[in-house]
Amino acid sequence: MNLNFVAGKTFETIDPRTGETIARVSEGDKEDIDLAVGAARRAFDHGPWPRLPGAARAKIMHKFADLIDQHIEELATLDTLNAGKLFSWGKAVDIPSVANTLRYFAGAADKIHGQVLKMSRELHAYTLLEPIGVVGLIIPWNFPSTMFFVKVSPALAAGCTMVVKPAEQTPLSALFYAHLAKEAGIPDGVINVVSGYGPTAGAALTSHMNVDKVSFTGSTEVGRKVMQAAAASNLKTVSLELGGKSPLLIFDDADIDQAADLALLGVMHNKGEVCVAGSRVLVQEAIYDEFVKTLVEKAKEWVVGDPFHPNSRVGPQVDKKQYEKVMSYIEHGKREGATLLTGGKPAAKKGYYIEPTVFTDVTDDMMIVKDEIFGPVMVLMKFKTIEEGIKYANNTKYGLASGIVTKSLDIANTVSRSIKAGVVWINCYHGFDIDCPFGGYKMSGFGKDFGMEALHKYLQTKAVVTPIYNSPWL
């Protein structure tokens, strides 16, 4: 659970609506990570959690989920205050979905089993699926609750123990979840939450010799450092969900109103702070001009404002640093010669609000086309043929997500099999579901979240072999 940190240091956590301090939070360092990993190691090597029947783990996980349901309002409030997320969305979607993520993996906890193998000689063999051990889970700031349980839930079901390092920008809900975990009956040492900074607490976790696996969601730049630390320490296994610059291809048979709505949803949802944001919108030339007019009109419906207000659709960027980064990219776009169709300015005198921004007349070598901006910024590009659209879509170092808007099954089939990305959404966007595996290609990382593939990240396979004598058959 949340530990009493050694050095007694604290750091401010900020309300992005105002830039003002919400509270001071304990700042964990290397010594605190050592204590947390030690607690997790004792809980794994000697504690009950990995040794409980799967059904018993599931029962506790269901109680944990029920407690979350009882505190939806408080948890949604924390993520709105700390991350600038829409309160209405948190209450209706984010927090209920994390409880359901726990329940999904609870349902798998008693169904973890290996196989009996048919050997080619006089041997009997079977496999065991065993929990991998102590895992380090590093959570991003854009979906503090969702990503906490995307990682914690399968790790719990597998029988692992863990140290969770929430993003320093958004530690509040993680600390509340640690409290609820204890109330639910999860044994001490199973979930340890250490708030702190990436270069100190995060680096100590990824390089720790007593951590068996690290799961990280964040930038590609930091993902490289995680892999380096894992390799330089004990060769712990790593799974990474990293950056993206996802394409949305809109073909000339598309319904233009639907396509414009999907394009805006793809990049403006959660104020653009989404790893899968459809920030490169590729439109076939026959409908390009009409699409642009429709898009600009519909962009006005994306009201920027206080995330507690029910009419707001775009809240503030998570902190001043992210706000300044997004505004810097907007200025780069202007300097590089892109045409600003709409937005591009701060949306309030106080807080970290930015207008929904759309650029056109862009080229592949522009920073706003190549880099992950992580804000409400869309670039529009035109293509002629299906082949050209596929070429443009794949012209990125990333491969996290993609979208297609078309009425043609042939186009949908051809393009979905040609795009190099971990997920392809056809006539929808952000089509996530707990049963659908999610993860990247190329520099967007490796390893899947959601679905049973996520559970297997926290398990390892052991083969057990014994001779058989005088058997009438093999």
Side-chain angles (χ1 to χ4, degrees):
M1 309 308 164
N2 189 37
L3 303 174
N4 294 315
F5 295 155
V6 173
K9 294 187 292 183
T10 62
F11 64 95
E12 292 181 338
T13 191
I14 302 298
D15 182 346
R17 301 174 305 149
T18 62
E20 296 171 357
T21 301
I22 304 167
R24 298 195 68 86
V25 177
S26 294
E27 180 186 339
D29 212 328
K30 182 180 183 301
E31 293 82 1
D32 304 295
I33 292 293
D34 283 340
L35 286 172
V37 171
R41 175 53 63 193
R42 289 189 296 275
F44 185 78
D45 290 348
H46 307 293
W49 189 254
R51 294 158 189 85
L52 286 175
R57 287 201 299 273
K59 185 177 181 180
I60 297 171
M61 290 173 70
H62 277 290
K63 185 174 180 182
F64 193 2
D66 292 342
L67 286 169
I68 290 169
D69 282 341
Q70 293 169 26
H71 293 87
I72 285 175
E73 185 113 1
E74 299 100 303
L75 289 161
T77 298
L78 288 175
D79 281 350
T80 299
L81 285 173
N82 217 184
K85 297 176 70 67
L86 296 182
F87 180 65
S88 59
W89 185 268
K91 280 184 66 177
V93 180
D94 278 1
I95 308 306
S97 75
V98 304
N100 288 333
T101 300
L102 265 173
R103 293 184 179 106
Y104 176 89
F105 285 106
D110 61 352
K111 301 170 185 67
I112 297 169
H113 53 77
Q115 296 177 307
V116 176
L117 306 176
K118 178 68 173 176
M119 306 292 272
S120 61
R121 55 199 186 96
E122 292 180 332
L123 298 168
H124 172 68
Y126 59 92
T127 60
L128 297 171
L129 294 180
E130 300 181 340
I132 201 166
V134 175
V135 298
L137 307 175
I138 301 179
I139 312 298
W141 45 256
N142 58 331
F143 286 90
S145 289
T146 301
M147 295 310 302
F148 186 99
F149 285 98
V150 162
K151 297 181 188 301
V152 165
S153 303
L156 285 174
C160 295
T161 61
M162 61 212 71
V163 177
V164 183
K165 209 293 281 181
E168 54 266 31
Q169 297 88 344
T170 55
L172 296 183
S173 57
L175 297 174
F176 197 177
Y177 289 126
H179 164 70
L180 294 181
K182 190 170 182 67
E183 280 197 3
I186 292 177
D188 287 350
V190 175
I191 300 178
N192 305 273
V193 175
V194 181
S195 49
Y197 291 96
T200 50
L205 186 59
T206 57
S207 62
H208 205 287
M209 294 296 290
N210 236 342
V211 172
D212 301 302
K213 176 189 173 56
V214 168
S215 176
F216 169 80
T217 296
S219 71
T220 299
E221 176 190 9
V222 177
R224 288 180 185 274
K225 295 178 181 178
V226 171
M227 285 195 72
Q228 289 166 354
S233 53
N234 59 343
L235 284 174
K236 59 179 66 67
T237 63
V238 174
S239 54
L240 304 172
E241 195 257 282
L242 306 176
K245 192 70 178 178
S246 299
L248 175 66
L249 290 97
I250 299 170
F251 291 90
D252 57 16
D253 66 338
D255 178 286
I256 290 177
D257 279 334
Q258 179 198 31
D261 285 336
L262 288 174
L264 288 164
L265 174 69
V267 73
M268 303 305 169
H269 174 63
N270 203 51
K271 58 280 192 1
E273 293 174 347
V274 188
C275 53
V276 298
S279 52
R280 292 186 300 139
V281 177
L282 313 175
V283 184
Q284 202 159 13
E285 63 180 1
I287 62 167
Y288 182 83
D289 291 340
E290 186 181 354
F291 175 84
V292 168
K293 291 178 185 176
T294 303
L295 183 82
V296 170
E297 283 301 307
K298 286 181 174 288
K300 297 173 184 175
E301 300 171 8
W302 284 76
V303 176
V304 182
D306 189 319
F308 281 106
H309 196 288
N311 293 338
S312 296
R313 296 186 72 183
V314 181
Q317 308 309 127
V318 73
D319 63 7
K320 184 178 181 182
K321 181 180 177 181
Q322 184 62 22
Y323 168 84
E324 291 176 345
K325 175 187 171 184
V326 176
M327 291 304 302
S328 173
Y329 271 111
I330 290 170
E331 293 306 312
H332 271 298
K334 294 176 185 176
R335 285 198 299 272
E336 289 179 325
T339 299
L340 183 62
L341 281 181
T342 186
K345 299 188 295 295
K349 292 181 180 179
K350 192 175 187 181
Y352 307 128
Y353 298 90
I354 297 174
E355 294 177 345
T357 300
V358 180
F359 281 103
T360 189
D361 300 321
V362 299
T363 57
D364 276 344
D365 59 346
M366 291 181 177
M367 288 178 66
I368 58 171
V369 176
K370 294 189 299 181
D371 293 357
E372 182 180 43
I373 297 173
F374 228 62
V377 181
M378 176 196 299
V379 296
L380 277 175
M381 302 177 73
K382 189 187 302 183
F383 68 91
K384 293 181 181 180
T385 64
I386 295 173
E387 292 73 22
E388 187 177 53
I390 292 168
K391 179 183 175 183
Y392 285 161
N394 286 331
N395 187 23
T396 174
K397 64 185 178 182
Y398 298 113
L400 192 55
S402 58
I404 302 167
V405 188
T406 181
K407 296 174 184 173
S408 167
L409 184 60
D410 287 341
I411 290 174
N413 283 335
T414 298
V415 177
S416 62
R417 285 160 173 76
S418 301
I419 291 179
K420 297 172 183 174
V423 62
V424 182
W425 289 307
I426 300 172
N427 296 327
C428 63
Y429 210 85
H430 298 307
F432 290 105
D433 187 84
I434 188 58
D435 204 40
C436 183
F438 167 72
Y441 283 17
K442 300 192 286 187
M443 290 180 70
S444 291
F446 47 83
K448 299 297 183 182
D449 291 324
F450 300 136
M452 288 300 100
E453 289 189 48
L455 179 66
H456 285 266
K457 291 193 304 187
Y458 300 98
L459 297 166
Q460 50 192 353
T461 302
K462 176 185 287 181
V464 180
V465 184
T466 183
I468 51 175
Y469 302 101
N470 304 316
S471 175
W473 56 76
L474 292 179

